[in-house]
Amino acid sequence: MGFLRLICLSLALGLGLAPAAQAAFETRAEAAYVVDVTTGTVLLEKNADVPLPPASMSKLMTLYMLFEALEKNPAVTLDTTFRVSARAMAKGGSTMFLTERDRPTAEDLIKGIIVQSGNDATVVVAEGLAGTEEAFSRLMTEKGAAIGLTQSTFTNSSGWPDPQHRMSMRDLGILTQRIIEDYPEYYGYFAMSEWGFDGRAPQNRFNRNPLLKLDIGADGLKTGHTQEAGYGLVGSAQQGARRIIFVITGLETDRARAEESERIVSWAFRQFVQKDMAEAGRHVADLPVWVGEAETVGLVSPEDIRPLVPMVASGSLVAEIEADTPIAAPIKAGQQLAELVITGPEMEPQRYPLVAETDVAKGGAWVRMQAAAEVLYRELTREDAPDAPQAAN
C-alpha cells in the first residue's frame, strides 16, 4: 500500500549507560578466541577458525567422550577399572607411568589426564571405550562434528603430533562450553592443582595450568605444548555472575603463556560490563496496528536484556527499535514484531527480539472501511499523484 516502512525509534529508557568504545587488545598468541559465556559475546578473535595442531588441549575431547560414557553408559562409572595395554604403557611424553599390571579407575584416568596430562591415560580411555585408539579417534571426530566443531579432526586421543590432527581455537572454546554445560558434575576436576597416581612420578603431580594458583576465579582447563604447536592454554574463569572462556596457542615459552593468559582474564573482566537494558515482560514501546480492534500494540522483551558492553568509550550507547509498521492484525501475544538494536562506537550492533504484549484481533467491517478510506485519501493527496483531468471547453 506504499506506507509500510522501516522505522528506528530512539528509546529513552533512562539507562545511565557507560561509554561504549572498546580499548584495543593485542595478543601475542598466534591464534586466540575469547568469549563471555554469560552473554555469548565474543570478545576477541585472532585466526580463530584456522585448524591448528592443538597438542594436549585436544585431550578435552577425550575427556568429553569419557564424561558422556559416564553419563549414558550404565557399564561405566567412576569406579570402573580399565586395562592398561602395552601400547598405552609405552606411550611417551607426559605420563602417569602406568604399567600393564595397573587397573586405574575412570576417576583415576580423569585426574591423570587433567593434572598430569597423561598420554598413557588417554590411550587407556580410548581402548577401554572403543577397543582401539584408531576407532576412538573416528568417534571423536564424529562427536565433534555433532556438537558443532567445524574445524576439528582427530587421529589420536592424546594430541600427539600428526599432520591430520587439528582443531581451531573457536572449536576448543565451543568444546569447553559444552563440557561446562553438559557435564557440570565433572567440571570440578579441572581445578585440581595437584594429584599423583600411586605415588609415582612426584615431579609430574602438579597441574600445568598457571592460573589456578592466582586468585582470579580460574577453574580450568587444559594446557598444551609441542614443538609444532608452541605453548597453548584453554582456560576458563568466573568472577561474580560472569564466566569467560579463552583459548590461546603459539606462544614461545610457558612463561609467555602464563603472562598472556593472566592478561586476557584481567582485560575480559575489567574492560567489559553487563548493563540492564530491559526486563522480561516490561513494556518497552507501542507500535501502530493496521485494521485492528486496537490502534497500537505494546512491545515487551521475552527475556531480560543485559548486553555486555565495553567499560571505557568515547561515546554512549544508543538503543533503537526496528520494525516494519504498521503491524497488520490479527496479532498474537508473544509474536515477534520488532528488534531492539543496541549500538555504540567500536562495537558490533547487538540485536534482541521484541514481541507483542497482548493479542490484537482484526477489526470489524467499519474499521476496515476506515482503513480503506485512509489509503484512498493518501493516494489521492500525495505530491506525485497525477492531476485530475480538466473538462473540455
Side-chain angles (χ1 to χ4, degrees):
M1 290 178 289
F3 61 92
L4 289 182
R5 58 191 177 88
L6 182 69
I7 62 171
C8 295
L9 305 176
S10 294
L11 210 57
L13 296 178
L15 302 174
L17 293 172
Q22 175 179 340
F25 185 89
E26 298 291 337
T27 178
R28 293 173 289 175
E30 175 187 351
Y33 177 74
V34 185
V35 61
D36 180 90
V37 178
T38 310
T39 62
T41 306
V42 176
L43 305 182
L44 177 66
E45 297 175 277
K46 180 180 179 182
N47 298 323
D49 294 307
V50 178
L52 296 169
S56 287
M57 295 187 292
S58 66
K59 286 183 170 76
L60 292 177
M61 192 68 211
T62 299
L63 288 165
Y64 187 89
M65 301 288 285
L66 179 53
F67 296 157
E68 182 180 61
L70 288 165
E71 187 80 9
K72 298 181 179 179
N73 188 340
V76 182
T77 70
L78 287 173
D79 295 325
T80 299
T81 58
F82 286 70
R83 174 181 173 273
V84 180
S85 69
R87 175 176 175 171
M89 185 181 73
K91 195 68 179 178
S94 183
T95 177
M96 285 177 64
F97 289 92
L98 295 170
T99 73
E100 291 182 76
R101 295 187 300 274
D102 292 320
R103 293 296 181 266
T105 65
E107 186 172 29
D108 290 334
L109 294 168
I110 291 170
K111 294 176 181 178
I113 293 171
I114 292 173
V115 179
Q116 298 179 301
S117 199
N119 293 324
D120 51 355
T122 67
V123 177
V124 172
V125 170
E127 294 176 341
L129 294 181
T132 68
E133 188 175 15
E134 290 76 15
F136 186 74
S137 300
R138 290 192 293 271
L139 293 176
M140 290 171 70
T141 300
E142 292 172 4
K143 175 58 67 172
I147 63 174
L149 312 188
T150 62
Q151 302 295 329
S152 295
T153 305
F154 305 96
T155 60
N156 60 70
S157 60
S158 63
W160 199 260
D162 184 291
Q164 302 303 315
H165 191 89
R166 293 290 185 266
M167 295 188 76
S168 71
M169 300 306 100
R170 189 188 307 276
D171 279 0
L172 278 163
I174 293 171
L175 174 59
T176 297
Q177 188 166 347
R178 291 298 299 260
I179 288 174
I180 293 171
E181 295 177 354
D182 294 352
Y183 303 112
E185 63 269 38
Y186 305 121
Y187 184 65
Y189 288 111
F190 288 98
M192 294 183 64
S193 60
E194 181 180 350
W195 185 78
F197 177 68
D198 195 29
R200 302 175 197 175
Q203 73 279 7
N204 193 35
R205 73 182 189 275
F206 297 106
N207 196 319
R208 293 167 172 79
N209 187 339
L211 299 185
L212 295 180
K213 63 185 71 174
L214 306 179
D215 187 22
I216 57 174
D219 52 14
L221 288 114
K222 192 71 191 73
T223 58
H225 170 250
T226 63
Q227 185 173 358
E228 180 187 19
Y231 288 85
L233 174 64
V234 180
S236 186
Q238 184 167 9
Q239 294 184 14
R242 286 183 58 200
R243 174 177 289 280
I244 66 160
I245 290 170
F246 70 93
V247 189
I248 55 175
T249 193
L251 280 304
E252 294 184 355
T253 65
D254 57 350
R255 179 175 179 177
R257 173 176 64 190
E259 292 174 351
E260 197 68 4
S261 299
E262 187 176 1
R263 284 182 64 230
I264 285 175
V265 172
S266 177
W267 168 78
F269 283 117
R270 294 178 183 176
Q271 295 300 317
F272 296 88
V273 62
Q274 268 189 284
K275 285 296 180 180
D276 295 319
M277 303 291 285
E279 296 179 10
R282 180 181 178 183
H283 181 83
V284 173
D286 293 301
L287 291 181
V289 174
W290 172 249
V291 293
E293 286 189 348
E295 294 183 353
T296 63
V297 61
L299 294 177
V300 297
S301 172
E303 298 178 350
D304 290 341
I305 298 179
R306 303 188 67 228
L308 191 73
V309 299
M311 180 74 76
V312 179
S314 59
S316 298
L317 294 182
V318 175
E320 298 179 322
I321 294 174
E322 289 186 0
D324 286 329
T325 60
I327 309 297
I331 299 168
K332 293 291 186 183
Q335 176 183 341
Q336 183 174 342
L337 304 177
E339 286 187 323
L340 181 66
V341 184
I342 300 168
T343 58
E346 298 185 29
M347 62 177 282
E348 293 293 323
Q350 300 188 38
R351 311 179 77 90
Y352 301 89
L354 297 176
V355 302
E357 187 173 18
T358 59
D359 292 340
V360 178
K362 194 169 185 177
W366 175 246
V367 172
R368 293 195 296 273
M369 288 175 60
Q370 284 183 312
E374 180 182 349
V375 172
L376 179 61
Y377 175 77
R378 292 191 181 190
E379 288 296 313
L380 291 175
T381 57
R382 60 190 176 94
E383 291 183 1
D384 58 345
D387 294 334
Q390 300 295 316
N393 290 328

